[in-house]
């Protein structure tokens, strides 16, 4: 039956998509960087799980409709006969979906933007890890001298020296 073949083709397309999505690394930081993106990814993953379940459910062709048992259990046999006649004479066209070029381009641009964002995020992560490592090695304790502090925090040291030169002794106090 033509409807069955189009359903099977659609089911195959869903199955192939679900198989490709199994290769996506969902734990990647790019999917966790933004609350809105995280919720969209969670929704998308739920949709793919549902598509996968549907692909499993409809993997086999449906069995033939048992009109004889329906005629026995329904009061209006003529209705079942008309449905049987319509089913046997019907040949609807196959349902196909064409992904438009504009939509493909838009999605490709979104993917490229996400990749660029991922590279920037990865660079920020590496910089932050280096900064954390530096700060851990130069942790402020009671044993740290003023010259050590000036070395670790040169911007603060420069500000302090400028305040001393300008005799701004109480610049950062509450009683201005």
């Amino acid at each position: 039956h033509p409807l069955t073949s189009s359903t099977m083709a659609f089911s195959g397309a869903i199955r192939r998509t679900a198989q490709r999505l199994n290769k996506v690394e969902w734990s990647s930081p790019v999917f966790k960087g933004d609350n809105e993106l995280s919720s969209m990814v969670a929704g998308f993953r739920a949709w793919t799980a549902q598509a996968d379940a549907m692909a499993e459910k409809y993997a086999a062709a449906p069995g033939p409709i048992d009109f004889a048992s329906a005629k026995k259990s329904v009061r209006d046999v003529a209705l079942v006969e008309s449905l049987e006649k319509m089913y046997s004479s019907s040949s609807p066209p196959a349902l196909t979906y064409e992904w438009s070029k504009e939509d493909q381009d838009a999605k490709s641009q979104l993917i490229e933007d996400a990749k660029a964002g991922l590279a920037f995020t990865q660079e920020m992560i590496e910089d932050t890890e280096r900064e954390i490592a530096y700060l851990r090695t130069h942790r402020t304790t009671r044993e740290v001298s003023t010259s050590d502090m000036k070395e670790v925090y040169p911007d603060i040291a420069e500000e302090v020296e400028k305040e001393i030169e300008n005799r701004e002794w109480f610049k950062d106090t509450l009683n201005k």
Side-chain angles (χ1 to χ4, degrees):
H1 200 273
L3 183 61
T4 304
S5 64
S6 67
T7 303
M8 294 301 292
F10 182 68
S11 173
I14 288 177
R15 195 176 317 106
R16 285 189 303 275
T17 301
Q19 288 170 350
R20 286 185 191 124
L21 291 172
N22 285 337
K23 298 176 184 171
V24 174
E25 187 182 335
W26 295 109
S27 60
S28 174
V30 73
F31 296 123
K32 297 178 182 178
D34 180 14
N35 289 338
E36 183 179 354
L37 178 63
S38 295
S39 67
M40 290 175 71
V41 167
F44 183 71
R45 288 184 70 187
W47 178 82
T48 57
Q50 181 184 14
D52 205 18
M54 287 178 64
E56 290 290 323
K57 181 178 179 181
Y58 299 110
I65 299 173
D66 186 10
F67 288 105
S69 69
K71 288 177 189 176
K72 291 177 187 173
S73 63
V74 174
R75 229 182 295 161
D76 192 0
V77 176
L79 177 65
V80 175
E81 288 173 348
S82 67
L83 286 172
E84 182 178 16
K85 181 180 175 187
M86 182 184 73
Y87 180 77
S88 61
S89 66
S90 176
S91 58
L95 298 174
T96 58
Y97 175 76
E98 292 293 326
W99 194 9
S100 70
K101 181 69 176 154
E102 297 83 29
D103 198 24
Q104 287 179 5
D105 293 342
K107 298 304 180 207
S108 295
Q109 184 60 44
L110 286 172
I111 290 169
E112 292 303 317
D113 292 347
K115 286 180 181 177
L118 174 63
F120 177 71
T121 302
Q122 195 62 39
E123 185 179 316
M124 283 180 38
I125 289 170
E126 290 169 2
D127 289 347
T128 304
E129 287 173 347
R130 280 195 300 273
E131 182 70 20
I132 289 170
Y134 177 79
L135 290 174
R136 281 186 178 151
T137 59
H138 296 89
R139 186 168 289 180
T140 304
T141 63
R142 292 178 185 260
E143 288 78 33
V144 175
S145 68
T146 308
S147 58
D148 291 339
M149 291 284 285
K150 286 181 180 181
E151 184 180 321
V152 175
Y153 303 104
D155 51 337
I156 295 175
E158 182 181 327
E159 181 183 347
V160 169
E161 288 299 322
K162 201 179 282 183
E163 288 175 8
I164 291 172
E165 287 175 15
N166 296 337
R167 298 179 182 261
E168 297 172 335
W169 310 116
F170 303 106
K171 177 182 170 225
D172 297 326
T173 61
L174 297 175
N175 300 329
K176 289 186 178 184

